[in-house]
């Protein structure tokens, strides 16, 4: 207890610095995933993507980031094990934030789209093994998380393959693609509004005091989908066929411009949903440190979330995207396969659908793996030759080493903090 009383302010300052660093990593890596398909398909520019993300990621993190956040992520360790040594939890959370942030910095530098959730989970596993022993870890939870390495990209990839094939058959293979787009795109617009609002309602807004059942969320999402469809129809009607003399190309370019309108919707809403959900990876451990210090060493399973902590997390996410997000955007948007607005739309909507399915069924999932799987599915719909297998190989390798890398770094930092303050 005396250690917490003596160094309480230092712990909180360090937690804020490391929490901001971790949020920077989330922005540099994870946000780039949400924006990658939109930028890669040239529906929006990098500058527009950054503006959209700055606004909607920050709003998502601040407005819907959570009044109460689980401090021990995913039930990996039992807080009761730390009641007699609360300073160990502080060392562990500081080590976890610094380790996960460091790994995300390395991955972002390399342009690897890795999972921020798996980074922080790996870091917490590392500190638990080092500080409490192997038996303290709930290995069943860790195994379930590892299973999502396969399920996330597989489900999203199948969705994306089917969705893009439907676009090919209904629109691009039609004798008059532009007329077909006018006929079928309103249905896709409805799907975008419906799915993305479901992501936001199910994944994000439960934290802001809006505790809706899955059924209530479903009804609201249908209503929102209809509104978005009507708004999309207004924008769609402003798009003309273009130059009729270029018969072979003008229909396709006009169709892609229609899908470009859809990508604006998906980019905004996915950024909001992502900000509201993944800010917890950065501020959860920070909230744990603040809670233990302010409660004089009392360890609880959940910690109240001060409003300024969410602002710090949202700010870090924004800074990360602005300063270093372009590398991962390039990998997801152009490295795996060539994207157009219609392909980007199929990938983004499929990723969003998978997140909704996972939220409704309790399936553990990674936003990163889901998006990469969706882009992969779109590429496969065009044939294996459309995929860059070398880039895919490096991405899969980075996924496999994320959890152990976070764990090893966390063990090193844990003993460093234990030595410094103990």
């Amino acid at each position: 207890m005396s250690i917490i009383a003596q160094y309480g302010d230092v712990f909180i300052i360090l937690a804020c610095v490391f929490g901001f660093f971790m949020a920077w990593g989330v922005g540099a890596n994870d946000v780039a995933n949400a924006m990658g398909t939109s930028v890669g398909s040239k529906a929006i520019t990098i500058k527009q993507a950054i503006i959209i993300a700055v606004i909607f990621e920050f709003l998502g993190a601040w407005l819907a980031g959570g009044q109460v956040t689980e401090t021990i992520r995913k039930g990996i360790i039992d807080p009761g094990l730390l009641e007699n040594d609360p300073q160990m939890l502080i060392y562990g959370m500081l080590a976890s934030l610094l380790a996960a942030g460091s790994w995300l910095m390395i991955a972002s530098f390399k342009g690897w789209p890795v999972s921020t959730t798996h980074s922080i989970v790996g870091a917490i596993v590392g500190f638990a093994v080092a500080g409490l022993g192997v038996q303290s870890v709930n290995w069943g939870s860790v195994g379930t998380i590892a299973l999502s390495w396969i399920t996330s990209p597989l489900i999203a990839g199948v969705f994306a393959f089917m969705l893009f094939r439907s676009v090919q058959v209904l629109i691009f293979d039609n004798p008059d693609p532009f007329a077909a787009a006018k006929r079928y795109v309103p249905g896709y617009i409805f799907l975008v509004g419906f799915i993305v609002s479901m992501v936001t309602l199910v994944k994000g807004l439960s934290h802001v005091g809006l505790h809706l059942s899955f059924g209530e969320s479903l009804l609201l999402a249908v209503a929102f989908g209809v509104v978005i469809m009507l708004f999309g129809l207004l924008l769609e009607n402003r798009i003309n066929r273009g130059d009729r003399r270029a018969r072979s190309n003008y229909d396709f370019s006009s169709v892609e411009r229609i899908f470009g309108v859809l990508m604006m919707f998906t980019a905004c809403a996915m950024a909001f949903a992502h900000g509201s959900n993944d800010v917890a990876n950065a501020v959860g451990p920070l909230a744990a440190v603040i809670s233990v210090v302010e409660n004089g060493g009392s360890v609880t399973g959940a910690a109240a979330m001060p409003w300024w902590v969410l602002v710090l997390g949202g700010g870090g996410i924004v800074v990360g995207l602005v300063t270093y997000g372009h590398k991962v955007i390039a990998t997801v948007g152009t490295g795996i396969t060539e994207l157009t607005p219609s392909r980007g739309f199929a990938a983004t909507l499929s990723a969003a659908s998978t997140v909704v399915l996972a939220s409704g069924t309790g399936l553990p999932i990674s936003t990163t793996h889901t998006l990469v799987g969706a882009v992969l599915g779109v590429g496969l719909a065009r044939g294996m030759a459309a995929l860059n297998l070398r880039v895919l190989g490096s991405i899969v390798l980075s996924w496999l080493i994320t959890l152990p890398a976070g764990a090893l770094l966390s063990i090193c930092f844990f003993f460093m903090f234990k030595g410094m303050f103990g």
Side-chain angles (χ1 to χ4, degrees):
M1 290 298 186
S2 59
I3 291 174
I4 293 175
Q6 186 178 356
Y7 295 110
D9 290 341
V10 176
F11 289 145
I12 289 178
I13 290 168
L14 285 175
C16 288
V17 172
F18 297 158
F20 187 86
F21 178 49
M22 172 64 184
W24 177 91
V26 173
N29 203 286
D30 241 24
V31 179
N33 288 322
M35 294 288 116
T37 49
S38 301
V39 174
S41 65
K42 298 182 174 60
I44 57 176
T45 63
I46 286 225
K47 188 176 180 181
Q48 288 169 328
I50 288 171
I51 292 168
I52 287 171
V54 164
I55 296 168
F56 287 93
E57 286 279 342
F58 186 81
L59 285 176
W62 187 31
L63 296 176
Q67 298 305 309
V68 177
T69 271
E70 289 178 59
T71 56
I72 311 299
R73 294 281 296 164
K74 307 289 185 189
I76 294 165
I77 54 174
D78 177 10
L81 297 171
L82 294 155
E83 281 178 359
N84 296 326
D85 293 301
Q87 69 274 12
M88 298 286 273
L89 177 63
I90 291 178
Y91 302 153
M93 291 296 122
L94 291 176
S96 297
L97 284 171
L98 188 55
S102 299
W103 171 243
L104 287 173
M105 182 176 71
I106 293 166
S108 300
F109 178 74
K110 294 284 189 182
W112 294 336
V114 298
S115 169
T116 55
T117 304
H118 291 183
S119 301
I120 197 72
V121 164
I124 291 174
V125 167
F127 118 74
V129 169
L132 302 169
V134 176
Q135 74 284 351
S136 67
V137 177
N138 183 345
W139 293 105
S141 291
V142 176
T144 311
I145 291 163
L147 187 64
S148 74
W149 292 340
I150 301 168
T151 56
S152 303
L154 189 64
I155 294 169
V158 170
F159 277 1
F161 182 90
M162 292 190 299
L163 191 60
F164 186 63
R165 283 296 297 153
S166 77
V167 172
Q168 283 181 317
V169 171
L170 293 174
I171 297 174
F172 289 108
D173 292 346
N174 193 285
D176 189 347
F178 186 77
K182 288 278 189 177
R183 189 182 315 123
Y184 293 114
V185 161
Y188 290 122
I189 294 175
F190 170 79
L191 269 178
V192 171
F194 170 73
I195 294 294
V196 168
S197 55
M198 277 296 282
V199 172
T200 308
L201 291 166
V202 175
K203 277 296 245 187
L205 296 181
S206 59
H207 298 308
V208 83
L210 192 64
H211 296 286
L212 301 172
S213 69
F214 197 78
E216 289 169 332
S217 298
L218 199 67
L219 287 173
L220 274 174
V222 168
F224 190 74
V226 171
V227 171
I228 289 292
M229 181 175 72
L230 294 173
F231 182 57
L233 278 169
L234 289 174
L235 294 176
E236 181 194 296
N237 288 334
R238 295 166 59 184
I239 298 173
N240 299 315
R241 281 184 180 267
D243 185 1
R244 285 182 174 273
R245 287 173 298 181
R247 176 73 205 180
S248 61
N249 294 319
Y250 77 82
D251 272 354
F252 292 127
S253 62
S254 300
V255 168
E256 292 294 356
R257 278 161 56 208
I258 292 173
F259 279 104
V261 170
L262 295 184
M263 293 299 289
M264 294 294 288
F265 291 118
T266 55
C268 294
M270 283 300 286
F272 182 89
H274 177 270
S276 66
N277 185 57
D278 277 30
V279 71
N281 288 330
V283 301
L286 167 56
V289 173
I290 293 170
S291 175
V292 172
V293 171
E294 290 185 346
N295 292 324
S298 173
V299 176
T300 56
M305 184 71 72
W307 66 269
W308 61 267
V309 169
L310 292 170
V311 173
L312 182 102
I317 285 173
V318 164
V319 172
L321 176 69
V322 171
T323 55
Y324 225 75
H326 61 276
K327 285 231 175 186
V328 180
I329 283 179
T331 301
V332 175
T334 59
I336 300 171
T337 190
E338 185 186 347
L339 290 177
T340 60
S342 57
R343 295 169 198 159
F345 153 74
T348 309
L349 184 57
S350 302
S353 304
T354 308
V355 172
V356 171
L357 179 70
S359 301
T361 58
L363 189 73
I365 211 150
S366 160
T367 314
T368 303
H369 297 184
T370 305
L371 270 158
V372 170
V375 173
L376 179 62
V378 169
L380 279 173
R382 299 167 55 228
M384 282 295 289
L387 298 173
N388 187 329
L389 297 179
R390 187 181 57 80
V391 170
L392 269 176
S394 66
I395 288 172
V396 171
L397 183 64
S398 72
W399 288 358
L400 293 174
I401 60 177
T402 290
L403 208 143
L408 288 171
L409 286 168
S410 183
I411 290 169
C412 296
F413 292 136
F414 174 75
F415 285 118
M416 181 183 78
F417 290 126
K418 194 177 177 184
M420 284 168 61
F421 296 105

